[in-house]
Amino acid sequence: MPDPVLRSWQMTGTGEPLLLTPVSRPEPGPGQVLVAVQAAGLCHTDVGILDDATWTARVGPFPLTLGHEVAGVVASLGPGVTGWSPGDRVAINPAGTSRPGLGRDGGYGPYAVADAADLVPVPDGLSIELAAAGTDAGRAPYRAVVVRGEVGPGDKVGIIGLGGLGQVGARIAVLRGAEVYAAEPKESLWPMARDLGVHAVATDISSFGDVGLDVVVDFAGFGSTTAAAIEVVREHGRVVQVGMGRLESTISTNALILKQVTLMGSRGGTVEDIAAVYDMFASGDLSPALELIGFDDIPAALDRLRAGGVTGRLVARY
């Protein structure tokens, strides 16, 4: 029977509000680990899952406890699991086979079951809240900038959008030795961009058309931003698409072909990507802005994300 003390914020269908539901403690199966959730990051993807049937078709079954940015401690081990012990501080790679908050119950509840191969150790001294955010808000920009974008010393890099992912991506590019140009329509965020080490910032990436950008990473994804990235990147340059503000874009195939631009999407990532981000966190070189909230605040915080009223990264503590 469900335990009224154990509660999860569950989704029942597209357009429906989250319901606070009593749940039972799950048991890990072979090769799995039960994680007692201590912190869960809130992501704009959750807003898309709640609102857009295109997203909804890719997740479930329902009811589903959302929350794919999960960190906590190992509560118990399933049969055959080695290398982990109860009490270990861990995070779950949301891009692996476990799919917390996407294909099985996630972090907006007290427990999450994960495949052991998806666990990432949380280094001593790293806060569990930052560890939770790093599973996606760290992993996704790291993969886009370093793995897909291949950003290195001396590159001129455009970053579109300085939200929760973009500000991390910009800082990672700076740490990689790149000269970074950021496009962010909210001028209130410009001082933060300079604090991150960004070389120049403007409202639109088109302002940097004469720079000769080697790579542009679009963390906004509003269609027009993708089109502008293709227009401003240099000949033989790379455009990495991360943001999904819109799920379609109209681009100039003329510019794409004549400049021989490489246009690629970036998603997923590995436990090694997350571990690399944790190393940056632990060194102090990468310090994304977090806003900590309580477990009961999750629905209202998602409403703020929906309205565009969040500049950093929201993390709930169970």
Side-chain angles (χ1 to χ4, degrees):
M1 294 290 293
D3 185 336
V5 177
L6 302 180
R7 306 172 304 158
S8 293
W9 287 110
Q10 293 196 324
M11 176 183 177
T12 58
T14 306
E16 298 295 327
L18 291 178
L19 295 179
L20 189 57
T21 308
V23 295
S24 301
R25 173 177 166 136
E27 293 296 330
Q32 295 180 333
V33 172
L34 181 65
V35 176
V37 179
Q38 294 183 328
L42 279 65
C43 179
H44 203 278
T45 296
D46 291 325
V47 175
I49 291 170
L50 285 166
D51 296 350
D52 188 340
T54 305
W55 271 107
T56 308
R58 298 161 54 186
V59 301
F62 299 107
L64 176 70
T65 303
L66 296 187
H68 55 272
E69 300 182 357
V70 185
V73 297
V74 173
S76 61
L77 307 177
V81 174
T82 60
W84 301 101
S85 300
D88 286 346
R89 298 201 318 151
V90 296
I92 304 172
N93 177 16
T97 56
S98 300
R99 302 185 71 231
L102 303 167
R104 65 174 63 150
D105 288 337
Y108 296 170
Y111 292 100
V113 173
D115 297 334
D118 287 337
L119 295 185
V120 186
V122 176
D124 293 339
L126 184 66
S127 75
I128 205 70
E129 296 86 4
L130 196 54
T135 60
D136 192 11
R139 170 192 52 80
Y142 179 89
R143 187 164 188 82
V145 171
V146 177
V147 180
R148 300 290 280 162
E150 301 178 15
V151 169
D155 283 343
K156 294 181 178 180
V157 177
I159 299 289
I160 301 178
L162 289 175
L165 295 184
Q167 60 186 251
V168 176
R171 181 60 180 165
I172 290 174
V174 169
L175 294 175
R176 295 282 291 179
E179 186 173 274
V180 179
Y181 297 79
E184 173 51 60
K186 295 180 181 177
E187 295 189 22
S188 61
L189 299 181
W190 290 12
M192 178 195 66
R194 298 186 178 97
D195 291 342
L196 294 172
V198 169
H199 181 76
V201 61
T203 58
D204 193 285
I205 199 68
S206 299
S207 299
F208 304 123
D210 59 351
V211 169
L213 296 172
D214 300 291
V215 183
V216 178
V217 185
D218 181 4
F219 288 102
F222 283 97
S224 59
T225 55
T226 310
I230 293 169
E231 294 287 353
V232 302
V233 76
R234 68 163 173 81
E235 188 173 357
H236 298 289
R238 300 183 296 283
V239 173
V240 183
Q241 188 63 47
V242 182
M244 300 178 72
R246 299 287 183 274
L247 298 183
E248 294 181 349
S249 177
T250 299
I251 65 172
S252 168
T253 52
N254 183 63
L256 184 75
I257 294 166
L258 293 185
K259 293 199 297 181
Q260 300 185 73
V261 173
T262 299
L263 172 62
M264 66 184 83
S266 182
R267 62 180 291 269
T270 65
V271 294
E272 290 79 15
D273 294 338
I274 298 173
V277 171
Y278 285 175
D279 286 342
M280 291 182 177
F281 286 166
S283 72
D285 291 332
L286 184 61
S287 302
L290 299 184
E291 179 182 341
L292 304 184
I293 65 171
F295 174 77
D296 292 335
D297 301 324
I298 288 174
L302 289 172
D303 287 340
R304 288 175 53 205
L305 271 179
R306 184 181 286 110
V310 179
T311 56
R313 203 70 179 183
L314 293 166
V315 179
R317 293 180 287 195
Y318 195 85

